[in-house]
């Protein structure tokens, strides 16, 4: 990740560790995705991601909450640049499936701009209505 909203995951196999890390890094760079962040610190809305038997629930958090997530998800959020998020993983403890489920959640997330475009409304209407509901 670049700490600015872009992150990727990859795997690599080799006989020596440095070569495997290099291959995994190259693989991750090709699979990078953009995640829209709210105020450059958290996600815009709650999301559920699934992959195989894995299920992750990502919730946006208020400032100062920090990263409340287990295992590999914490490293993913830190490299992405997210500072406040609450995440729960259910169904599997396999790190690969947890990360793939988290990526599935990120792909399903939407920015207020894209939601406003789909509904033919202004961004302020979408954000204002979202805050009233909570």
């Amino acid at each position: 990740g670049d700490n600015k909203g872009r992150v990727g995951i990859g795997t690599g196999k080799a006989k020596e560790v440095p070569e495997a890390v290099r291959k995994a890094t190259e693989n991750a760079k090709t699979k990078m995705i953009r995640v829209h962040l709210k105020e450059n610190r958290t996600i815009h809305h709650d999301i559920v991601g699934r992959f195989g038997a894995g299920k992750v629930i990502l919730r946006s958090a208020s400032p100062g909450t920090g990263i409340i997530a287990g295992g590999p998800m914490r490293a993913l959020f830190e490299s992405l640049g997210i500072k406040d998020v609450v995440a729960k993983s259910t169904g599997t403890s396999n790190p690969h499936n947890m990360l793939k489920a988290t990526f599935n959640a990120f792909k399903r997330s939407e920015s207020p701009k894209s939601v406003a475009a789909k509904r033919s409304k202004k961004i302020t209407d979408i954000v204002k209505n979202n805050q009233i509901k909570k």
Side-chain angles (χ1 to χ4, degrees), residues 7-63:
V7 70
I9 57 171
T11 57
K13 290 173 67 173
K15 292 188 178 186
E16 290 96 22
V17 173
E19 184 65 18
V21 170
R22 185 191 62 76
K23 285 182 179 181
T25 305
E26 283 181 12
N27 191 353
K29 284 180 183 177
T30 62
K31 296 179 181 178
M32 286 189 93
I33 62 168
R34 174 99 178 121
V35 180
H36 299 285
L37 300 180
K38 178 181 179 182
E39 301 167 3
N40 290 329
R41 61 165 192 84
T42 189
I43 54 179
H44 284 284
H45 55 87
D46 300 353
I47 323 164
V48 176
R50 297 174 188 271
F51 183 84
K55 177 181 171 184
V56 296
I57 301 160
L58 309 180
R59 301 194 65 170
S60 58
S62 59

Side-chain angles (χ1 to χ4, degrees), residues 1 7-10 55-56 58 67-80 82 85 87-90 92-103 106:
V7 70
I9 57 171
K55 177 181 171 184
V56 296
L58 309 180
I67 299 174
I68 301 174
M73 287 194 298
R74 175 180 292 275
L76 185 69
F77 293 139
E78 287 173 356
S79 67
L80 183 60
I82 293 179
V85 70
K88 177 69 180 169
S89 172
T90 58
T92 186
S93 59
N94 181 338
H96 291 283
N97 287 347
M98 284 172 62
L99 289 178
K100 288 180 181 177
T102 307
F103 258 66
F106 286 150

Side-chain angles (χ1 to χ4, degrees), residues 116 119-132:
R119 296 184 188 174
S120 300
K121 294 188 175 187
K122 296 178 183 174
I123 297 173
T124 55
D125 294 339
I126 301 295
V127 175
K128 182 172 46 172
N129 290 341
N130 190 15
Q131 291 174 349
I132 292 171

